[in-house]
Amino acid sequence: MDIDPRNIRNFCIIAHIDHGKSTLADRLMLRLGAISQREFHDQMLDDMDLERERGITIKSSAVTVQAEADGEAYMFNLIDTPGHVDFHYEVSRALQACDGAILVVDASQGVEAQTVANAYLAVEAGLEIVPVINKVDLPTARPDDVAMQIEHLLGEPAEDAIHCSAKSGKGVDALIDAIVRRLPGPRGDGSAPARALIFDSIYNDYRGVVVYVRVVDGELAVGDRIRMMGKGGVFQVTELGKHTPKPTAVRHLRAGEVGYVVAAIRSLSDVHIGDTITRDAARAERPLPGYREPQHMVYSDFYCGPDTQYPELREALERLQLNDAALTFAPTSGEALGFGFRCGFLGLLHMEIVQERLERESGVDVVQTAPTVPYQVLRTDGDLIEVDSAGDLPDAAHIAEIREPIADVNLIIPADCIGTIMQLALDRRAVYRKTEYLSADRVILSFDFPLAEVIYDFYDKLKSATRGYGTMDYEVSGFRTNDLVKLDILINGQRVEPLSVIVHRSKAEARGRKLIQKLRREISRHMFEIPIQAAIGSRVLARETIKAMRKNVTAKCYGGDITRKRKLLEKQKAGKKRMKMVGNVEIPQKAFMAVLELGDE
């Protein structure tokens, strides 16, 4: 059935984590007739086992539903997006494929940090926003207060917010009516040369790379020869389709529609998220704007575990990168762990998800080093370089200054926790900017934080200090010079680069002491004594010693001359000394992660 382009609605659902996006998406599909009551279950669009286990959305999911409203046929293209700050980039990509957004706010929790961040993303993308107050049937719901918070945030009249419950279905009809009346149809020229924006892709062993697109101008048809305007590859379309939510093949994708393209694309390098597809015979003049490159907040090295070969790890990363455009990796090597990859992530949760997906989806075994943030180093010769690992720092004699990344952090907390959070922030070298009241009992505190102080354990400490009500959003705003030094860890007299960290000089000794105490507990005893030292350059700040395992070599020497016992002990001592010179200390994976677990104990 052909739909009038004016009756197409492309929209996404955005919200803070746990405010009910996925449940609302499920309820909309049920009400619009895309699924039956028998097929209906929670988190229908969350395909990954990881998403179901954790109860969070990791990947955006697009679904197309055709339904009747106001006596006319409409096509609804809905994208469910993640809510966690680490998947901010996934949300920004989804917004580019839409003309409107549904902003969901929990009626009992109110406006939270990612609500603000996602609302501003939608405004920057020029989208029309429909605010929805969800979970109004909860006994703790405060829909009128939350509506006033939304008015304060967006300037939208409080009475325009739709009150609904995704769990029971209350208010969903009013939401569908608002989508039809308040969200605009797609902008684009159906008669112009075809242009389609790639907003996602996956790899299929039988069909090759499956590309998800939003057609902006013109149309694509089965049999067309298409060209990737950025990469330059030419392919023939073998299948077009939409998720309804089951994959459904179609003959055409017209201007304003969202769907998938299969074109026997075998090489992972031929597809780039944000590229523009056009027809090879009638090419468009200019590609679509695409996306900004993601800004990586965290770097970590992934090495092959005992059951994995280097080519297997590379192939697994390439396949995952196709589905996760925010992941980057480059080859690296280290004496302790051999050959591996330096990987860039958007945050710690993103890093954790990537490691789990590699192990589950590709069956590879990964050894991971402690994460670090990127730093800028001004050399004495005037060159400015960026390093993402303490091991890459030049010699101290060649460093003029080190600049650390600064994050613009917004914390939304209960008003009675201001004093505690101020102290927590100042302990982590934050610079206070402003306080803004959302309501009588909720405030937004703004700080400039060193990014390294945010990513490790600050979020856990924030949750503890605010009884679980505090939320955080951050964005890197630039780099600032500070008194930073490289803290080296020496095990058995040898520097272990994966354990080195860049820290503020005032915290170096305390950090080093905690780290080596942790390592002493994690590294098992050997046949020889192992010294563990924390040092800046040649200056040792702290030392711990792992005692050698002792064997009583004189146990069988009953009585007799004492010199015989002494001779045996001296022989054992000489053997241990020789072993210490040639023996390697085995360092477990948990020791590399000890850098992470060094909160305020």
Side-chain angles (χ1 to χ4, degrees):
M1 176 174 65
D2 285 341
I3 303 286
D4 185 333
R6 291 172 300 180
N7 288 355
I8 296 174
R9 295 291 180 269
N10 294 315
F11 62 95
C12 59
I13 304 178
I14 55 177
H16 189 83
I17 193 166
D18 276 344
H19 279 207
K21 294 178 301 302
S22 298
T23 311
L24 186 60
D26 298 342
R27 185 61 63 178
L28 279 170
M29 287 193 295
L30 179 65
R31 192 57 59 92
L32 290 168
I35 51 172
S36 66
Q37 186 68 51
R38 187 173 58 83
E39 296 168 310
F40 178 73
H41 60 79
D42 287 344
Q43 288 181 274
M44 287 209 59
L45 297 181
D46 291 344
D47 299 328
M48 277 187 256
D49 290 341
L50 264 176
E51 292 180 311
R52 295 188 176 285
E53 285 170 21
R54 290 171 177 256
I56 60 171
T57 301
I58 294 167
K59 285 291 301 170
S60 295
S61 304
V63 65
T64 298
V65 184
Q66 292 190 13
E68 217 170 87
D70 289 346
E72 292 187 59
Y74 279 84
M75 180 188 291
F76 299 95
N77 293 314
L78 176 160
I79 301 180
D80 178 27
T81 64
H84 195 280
V85 63
D86 279 15
F87 305 114
H88 201 59
Y89 184 64
E90 193 78 25
V91 178
S92 69
R93 294 213 326 260
L95 292 171
Q96 293 289 332
C98 297
D99 305 299
I102 297 174
L103 180 70
V104 180
V105 185
D106 187 314
S108 56
Q109 302 286 344
V111 168
E112 303 209 52
Q114 278 304 108
T115 315
V116 178
N118 289 337
Y120 288 162
L121 268 181
V123 170
E124 282 171 25
L127 305 190
E128 189 69 38
I129 299 175
V130 174
V132 172
I133 299 171
N134 191 23
K135 307 187 186 180
V136 293
D137 51 351
L138 289 179
T140 54
R142 301 171 291 115
D144 295 334
D145 289 350
V146 174
M148 291 307 296
Q149 289 178 21
I150 294 172
E151 183 173 319
H152 179 78
L153 173 68
L154 293 176
E156 296 264 346
E159 55 271 18
D160 286 356
I162 291 162
H163 296 208
C164 82
S165 167
K167 204 78 176 170
S168 67
K170 177 184 175 182
V172 172
D173 288 334
L175 174 57
I176 293 169
D177 187 56
I179 292 168
V180 168
R181 294 178 185 279
R182 289 161 60 178
L183 295 187
R187 299 180 289 273
D189 185 353
S191 58
R195 290 196 301 171
L197 176 71
I198 300 175
F199 67 89
D200 205 355
S201 56
I202 58 168
Y203 186 81
N204 184 289
D205 286 334
Y206 304 104
R207 302 154 88 196
V209 181
V210 180
V211 179
Y212 292 88
V213 298
R214 153 81 190 268
V215 182
V216 177
D217 296 321
E219 71 171 57
L220 297 175
V222 175
D224 281 349
R225 285 181 65 77
I226 56 170
R227 173 178 287 271
M228 305 287 182
M229 294 185 76
K231 289 285 188 176
V234 177
F235 307 93
Q236 185 152 10
V237 176
T238 56
E239 184 186 334
L240 295 172
K242 298 172 181 177
H243 285 281
T244 62
K246 297 189 181 86
T248 306
V250 296
R251 298 296 302 170
H252 301 269
L253 283 178
R254 296 186 169 86
E257 295 185 359
V258 174
Y260 64 84
V261 178
V262 180
I265 305 169
R266 293 291 166 203
S267 172
L268 304 174
S269 60
D270 286 330
V271 174
H272 178 70
I273 302 291
D275 203 350
T276 302
I277 292 177
T278 189
R279 290 170 65 190
D280 194 42
R283 297 181 199 169
E285 290 180 18
R286 290 193 314 277
L288 295 161
Y291 306 110
R292 285 184 308 177
E293 288 298 310
Q295 191 171 23
H296 295 108
M297 309 286 189
V298 173
Y299 289 86
S300 176
D301 293 350
F302 280 13
Y303 292 95
C304 303
D307 302 324
T308 300
Q309 300 298 315
Y310 184 74
E312 290 177 297
L313 182 57
R314 176 189 286 278
E315 190 181 327
L317 282 165
E318 284 175 349
R319 191 173 292 195
L320 185 56
Q321 188 183 41
L322 187 72
N323 189 233
D324 185 351
L327 169 68
T328 61
F329 60 92
T332 187
S333 62
E335 284 181 28
L337 296 165
F339 291 99
F341 294 93
R342 168 69 46 77
C343 302
F345 309 96
L346 300 181
L348 289 184
L349 179 66
H350 185 212
M351 181 184 79
E352 203 180 311
I353 294 296
V354 166
Q355 183 178 5
E356 284 203 43
R357 288 187 68 186
L358 284 173
E359 290 174 351
R360 287 183 185 214
E361 294 171 20
S362 301
V364 295
D365 190 15
V366 175
V367 175
Q368 170 193 340
T369 63
T372 59
V373 298
Y375 292 86
Q376 288 182 350
V377 178
L378 183 64
R379 297 170 59 101
T380 48
D381 59 8
D383 279 356
L384 185 67
I385 60 172
E386 186 165 299
V387 299
D388 45 48
S389 165
D392 294 340
L393 274 178
D395 189 78
H398 299 137
I399 297 175
E401 60 184 44
I402 303 177
R403 300 170 185 171
E404 63 183 340
I406 299 297
D408 175 1
V409 176
N410 291 312
L411 308 174
I412 298 186
I413 61 168
D416 61 355
C417 297
I418 291 177
T420 312
I421 298 304
M422 282 283 194
Q423 189 58 51
L424 186 66
L426 295 176
D427 288 346
R428 282 168 165 68
R429 301 188 288 121
V431 177
Y432 169 74
R433 282 209 327 272
K434 65 175 181 179
T435 301
E436 187 180 344
Y437 275 80
L438 267 176
S439 64
D441 57 351
R442 286 174 70 74
V443 295
I444 304 178
L445 292 181
S446 299
F447 294 92
D448 286 331
F449 259 92
L451 181 62
E453 301 281 357
V454 175
I455 65 161
Y456 291 141
D457 66 340
F458 180 74
Y459 187 64
D460 293 339
K461 294 281 185 277
L462 171 71
K463 282 291 185 189
S464 299
T466 59
R467 307 178 301 281
Y469 289 110
T471 58
M472 175 180 78
D473 174 60
Y474 64 88
E475 188 176 359
V476 173
S477 54
F479 287 79
R480 183 185 297 159
T481 303
N482 220 320
D483 186 12
L484 302 166
V485 292
K486 179 187 177 187
L487 179 67
D488 285 315
I489 300 298
L490 287 77
I491 296 180
N492 203 14
Q494 294 184 333
R495 276 185 173 78
V496 182
E497 289 295 357
L499 291 174
S500 298
V501 287
I502 298 171
V503 296
H504 194 269
R505 191 182 296 275
S506 66
K507 294 193 168 190
E509 186 174 342
R511 183 80 183 267
R513 199 171 292 282
K514 280 184 183 176
L515 183 50
I516 63 172
Q517 286 169 356
K518 185 89 175 174
L519 290 173
R520 185 168 66 84
R521 294 195 294 269
E522 298 298 346
I523 297 173
S524 56
R525 291 169 72 185
H526 288 53
M527 291 301 292
F528 51 88
E529 191 175 89
I530 305 169
I532 306 175
Q533 297 162 303
I536 297 175
S538 58
R539 179 170 157 248
V540 175
L541 301 176
R543 170 181 168 137
E544 291 280 340
T545 304
I546 300 175
K547 295 292 183 190
M549 286 193 281
R550 281 192 69 89
K551 181 181 178 186
N552 187 359
V553 288
T554 64
K556 292 180 183 176
C557 297
Y558 300 109
D561 189 1
I562 188 65
T563 55
R564 189 174 167 215
K565 289 187 179 182
R566 198 168 288 146
K567 189 177 173 185
L568 278 168
L569 288 169
E570 289 301 321
K571 190 177 175 184
Q572 184 190 42
K573 198 185 291 180
K576 286 191 176 184
K577 192 173 179 183
R578 208 165 44 246
M579 193 185 287
K580 183 177 179 179
M581 287 164 61
V582 298
N584 288 323
V585 180
E586 288 187 13
I587 306 173
Q589 156 81 41
K590 203 170 175 195
F592 290 108
M593 299 309 289
V595 181
L596 251 190
E597 298 162 5
L598 281 180
D600 299 334
E601 293 168 359

